[in-house]
Amino acid sequence: AAADPSAPRFRGEVRLAPEFAALDGKHTLFIMLRSPKTAGGMPLAVQKVDFARFPLAFDMGSENVPLDVDNKDEIIAGEIRIVARLSVSGKLTGGAGDIEGELLSRPGEGLVVDLSKKRAQ
């Protein structure tokens, strides 16, 4: 079945800052859609890419929502924090040395998340 064209989609790319170029293709990347109102907790939607190569195109929608609910489109509608994390630590929840970036956005195309911040802890 074709995707609903009116459903919210987040499309764009994740870029790796030049100072971290040596990490290209060596670690798992997590792209998460998160509430703009909370700092942690379970992501609203998630995409995992093993041995990520950059720049990496992403396309996320309700199929990335891990909950088994009928209102998946509503969960990711509106303003969302797009968080990308290159998991250098190997930890699912994030750890020291991970490279992160985020963007506050509404559904759309041409979104860019820059992985430019090294996580201290």
Side-chain angles (χ1 to χ4, degrees):
D4 179 352
S6 67
R9 297 223 56 91
F10 295 84
R11 294 183 178 107
E13 69 180 17
V14 178
R15 297 178 185 163
L16 185 62
E19 62 266 31
F20 302 118
L23 302 174
D24 195 10
K26 296 181 180 174
H27 299 281
T28 299
L29 175 72
F30 293 96
I31 305 168
M32 297 162 279
L33 303 182
R34 292 189 169 277
S35 166
K37 298 173 185 153
T38 59
M42 185 174 148
L44 303 174
V46 65
Q47 192 172 77
K48 177 184 174 187
V49 180
D50 292 320
F51 305 107
R53 304 281 315 177
F54 300 95
L56 183 131
F58 69 90
D59 180 353
M60 295 179 70
S62 59
E63 72 278 6
N64 299 105
V65 174
L67 301 173
D68 187 17
V69 294
D70 292 332
N71 64 337
K72 289 183 178 189
D73 287 349
E74 293 172 28
I75 289 173
I76 60 169
E79 194 169 64
I80 295 287
R81 275 190 317 128
I82 305 168
V83 179
R85 180 171 33 84
L86 189 61
S87 184
V88 176
S89 69
K91 296 179 182 178
L92 178 65
T93 56
D98 289 355
I99 311 303
E100 299 176 320
E102 73 174 65
L103 173 69
L104 191 61
S105 179
R106 294 191 172 278
E109 298 192 22
L111 306 173
V112 176
V113 181
D114 289 311
L115 293 170
S116 60
K117 296 177 189 124
K118 190 172 188 175
R119 188 173 173 156
Q121 48 178 310

